[in-house]
Amino acid sequence: MTLSYVLSTDPDPLQPSPSEGELARCDLRLTVTNPTSAPVYCTGISILLPVGPLGVQLATTGLGITGVAAPATWTVAAPQEDVLIIVPQDGAARFTENPHGNRETVTPALTVWLRQIRVNRRVGSADVIIRETVSATTHGPWTENSGTCEVTKFSARAATTS
């Protein structure tokens, strides 16, 4: 992938929902930056959440998830229950170049919060798939890249000994 993605959870560490009763909820925070020394233009980012009852899945359902992006020039939409799309209002957003290359972290260019995710009941690691459409110029050619960010649901016992 061209852009850099960091995914964090609230609560942290994340635990699966209890075996009975109401499902636990969590929020995901995705921070997107440009690790390169050149500008990167982006027309959209898709987040595919692994939905289902297994440990390799994160949520029981994608229904009810709300998304907020900052800066407010980005919009979060959910065309399917397990897919969220983040698009810039101006068609293509510029991620400012990092004058330090990969050596230092730059100020986030985009932060996306996905709230009220219903965590499933199984311990395990789930891969959140991220797809980006990027270019070195405002007019393309556009490249689609994909990668994953892992989210781990720890057992209550492991979480208390960490």
Side-chain angles (χ1 to χ4, degrees):
M1 299 218 316
T2 302
L3 297 170
S4 177
Y5 298 86
V6 175
L7 193 62
S8 59
T9 63
D10 182 17
D12 182 20
L14 183 61
Q15 295 179 23
S17 290
S19 59
E20 296 180 17
E22 193 171 324
L23 294 170
R25 299 194 186 219
C26 79
D27 297 342
L28 294 181
R29 177 180 158 180
L30 181 67
T31 304
V32 185
T33 58
N34 178 4
T36 72
S37 58
V40 174
Y41 296 87
C42 179
T43 59
I45 298 168
S46 297
I47 302 171
L48 286 76
L49 294 175
V51 173
L54 304 176
V56 295
Q57 296 160 322
L58 174 64
T60 57
T61 179
L63 297 175
I65 297 173
T66 59
V68 177
T73 55
W74 289 78
T75 303
V76 180
Q80 299 172 4
E81 102 172 63
D82 61 343
V83 177
L84 293 114
I85 297 176
I86 303 100
V87 293
Q89 293 173 356
D90 296 332
R94 181 177 192 254
F95 283 82
T96 306
E97 59 272 17
N98 176 357
H100 306 289
N102 288 320
R103 294 173 294 180
E104 292 184 27
T105 304
V106 295
T107 302
L110 173 64
T111 303
V112 179
W113 291 270
L114 303 179
R115 296 193 168 113
Q116 297 298 311
I117 297 170
R118 294 178 182 110
V119 182
N120 70 23
R121 300 181 192 277
R122 302 291 297 270
V123 170
S125 294
D127 286 334
V128 175
I129 299 171
I130 299 171
R131 294 186 180 137
E132 64 182 17
T133 304
V134 294
S135 176
T137 70
T138 58
H139 303 292
W142 299 99
T143 303
E144 291 188 15
N145 304 311
S146 66
T148 60
C149 289
E150 186 177 78
V151 177
T152 302
K153 296 168 286 170
F154 296 94
S155 71
R157 182 176 34 175
T160 58
T161 59
S162 298

